[in-house]
Amino acid sequence: MPRSNHPRGRRRGPDDAGEDDSLDRMRAGWRRTEERRDGLWTVQPVTASRATKSYVCPGCNLEIAPKTPHLVAWRADGLMGEAADLAGRRHWHSHCWRIR
């Protein structure tokens, strides 16, 4: 059988660059916006496999240990500017965020 120099499968082009990004976002959890009594918040779930550091939950002041699924929340209404809002993000226990 003669050798084929034609590539098998689909070639990646410049328009395909976003596919890996969307897959990473899907693995990390779905980012959403929630309205609370103090404004709009962006909430991003963190899976146990992506939780590599320990944090202190602002809701209960207890440690969120590594490998513990939790949430990251930051203001979405832009009152202080986008950079300040992102710098002010906090890691919460899922339960603490729900009862907040």
Side-chain angles (χ1 to χ4, degrees):
M1 177 187 283
R3 181 174 163 252
S4 172
N5 287 332
H6 297 286
R8 302 202 190 271
R10 187 170 170 249
R11 294 194 103 176
R12 291 186 56 112
D15 295 336
D16 294 336
E19 288 181 7
D20 290 338
D21 293 338
S22 62
L23 183 59
D24 288 341
R25 279 197 303 268
M26 189 167 52
R27 286 182 186 145
W30 298 102
R31 184 180 297 176
R32 62 187 181 272
T33 302
E34 294 185 10
E35 185 173 356
R36 298 288 174 148
R37 59 191 144 193
D38 58 346
L40 289 175
W41 291 83
T42 301
V43 180
Q44 172 78 42
V46 178
T47 62
S49 63
R50 298 195 40 103
T52 59
K53 294 171 46 179
S54 66
Y55 299 94
V56 175
C57 174
C60 64
N61 291 322
L62 296 176
E63 178 188 19
I64 302 172
K67 303 292 182 189
T68 303
H70 61 280
L71 301 171
V72 180
W74 63 94
R75 296 203 57 109
D77 51 18
L79 292 175
M80 305 297 267
E82 190 174 335
D85 291 342
L86 272 176
R89 65 185 179 266
R90 297 292 176 254
H91 294 253
W92 292 73
H93 290 112
S94 300
H95 174 75
C96 294
W97 177 256
R98 278 193 304 271
I99 64 171
R100 175 181 180 266

